[in-house]
Amino acid sequence: MVRNETTAKLVEVATFAELLGALDQLRAEYAPARLVCTLDDVNQCLYTSAHASEDERIAYYGDENPEAEVAHVASALENPEHGVEWQTLPGQRIGGGADVAALVTVNSTPDRWLDDVVLVRRASVARDDLVIAAVPNGYFTSDWDTFQNHAVIRRMAAHGYRHFGVGASLLGFDRQEGLSESGARAVVADLVHLYGAPDSASWVELATVLTGARLLLLGYTENLPDLVED
């Protein structure tokens, strides 16, 4: 593990179980600050995050100070002038049923999508939903942008999920206990609102995958089916 004042770099990370264990240790060390980490394709994640940070709603023009920049972005996320309501999120992704099938694949084999290098960033924010301020993302036109991602994060919190990671294509969530069967159905109902394709048979399969699981991975970019085809 390589560290500096605001980050830790985990190398040779093989599983989400390993990653989540390391995050628990780091949270104890950095408390009361919260943590967020990269997930899939760390270099692409950081590249798109840098561009997403140029969004005029969150752009930071102060002195080079990571903590001040995180505080600035978190403040913008809480600004009602910029906030996105869950009900206004798009109900149809470009991939349609292919996106749903990709969600099944990603959540069935989550470790496959985790980069072996993970960058952890500290976020001195008041709530877990605001940790995305340390790795804002959503750059391309058909991606969910940072504010839409924040709306998704808030909604998943209602299902007991804590947001802990952002990748080049994925948002990562965990919960203290495995999801119940009824809870999985409720999550899937919300995901239908996000991704559309309500008639896809893959939704039933996803509910089965999520039942009993603590981990949830969601794709926020336009190319989610491409991720699982590579």
Side-chain angles (χ1 to χ4, degrees):
M1 181 186 298
V2 181
R3 306 168 188 252
N4 64 28
E5 184 180 356
T6 58
T7 65
K9 183 179 181 181
L10 310 177
V11 296
E12 298 183 359
V13 180
T15 68
F16 272 98
E18 179 184 346
L19 171 60
L20 292 172
L23 288 177
D24 283 342
Q25 292 179 9
L26 289 168
R27 286 189 183 103
E29 179 177 342
Y30 286 126
R34 290 171 166 81
L35 302 176
V36 65
C37 69
T38 59
L39 299 175
D40 56 295
D41 198 342
V42 60
N43 291 327
Q44 180 68 13
C45 173
L46 297 180
Y47 171 80
T48 52
S49 179
H51 284 291
S53 298
E54 296 171 352
D55 183 324
E56 62 180 12
R57 296 170 295 178
I58 61 173
Y60 173 76
Y61 301 107
D63 296 335
E64 187 173 342
N65 182 328
E67 291 193 358
E69 184 171 3
V70 169
H72 170 79
V73 176
S75 178
L77 290 173
E78 294 194 285
N79 185 337
E81 293 182 4
H82 304 318
V84 173
E85 295 298 325
W86 168 258
Q87 292 78 7
T88 68
L89 290 170
Q92 180 63 50
R93 301 289 289 168
I94 292 175
D99 277 341
V100 188
L103 287 178
V104 173
T105 299
V106 167
N107 283 281
S108 297
T109 56
D111 295 340
R112 178 181 172 188
W113 318 107
L114 182 61
D115 202 317
D116 61 356
V117 174
V118 175
L119 180 66
V120 183
R121 290 187 171 173
R122 190 169 69 210
S124 296
V125 293
R127 303 189 310 274
D128 288 328
D129 66 276
L130 293 172
V131 297
I132 194 176
V135 191
N137 224 323
Y139 167 57
F140 296 107
T141 302
S142 296
D143 296 349
W144 298 334
D145 65 23
T146 302
F147 292 88
Q148 291 171 319
N149 280 333
H150 187 228
V152 173
I153 289 165
R154 296 197 314 269
R155 186 70 174 194
M156 292 303 103
H159 295 287
Y161 287 109
R162 171 180 55 184
H163 173 59
F164 72 87
V166 182
S169 298
L170 301 173
L171 301 176
F173 304 84
D174 72 335
R175 60 195 321 276
Q176 290 186 340
E177 298 178 348
L179 196 63
S180 68
E181 184 176 349
S182 61
R185 290 196 298 268
V187 170
V188 164
D190 274 350
L191 298 184
V192 172
H193 170 73
L194 282 179
Y195 291 90
D199 297 327
S200 172
S202 295
W203 287 123
V204 174
E205 189 175 357
L206 182 62
T208 300
V209 169
L210 295 182
T211 299
R214 295 176 53 203
L215 184 68
L216 172 67
L217 299 177
L218 299 181
Y220 71 90
T221 58
E222 63 182 356
N223 63 342
L224 181 59
D226 294 339
L227 175 69
V228 301
E229 290 174 3
D230 290 343

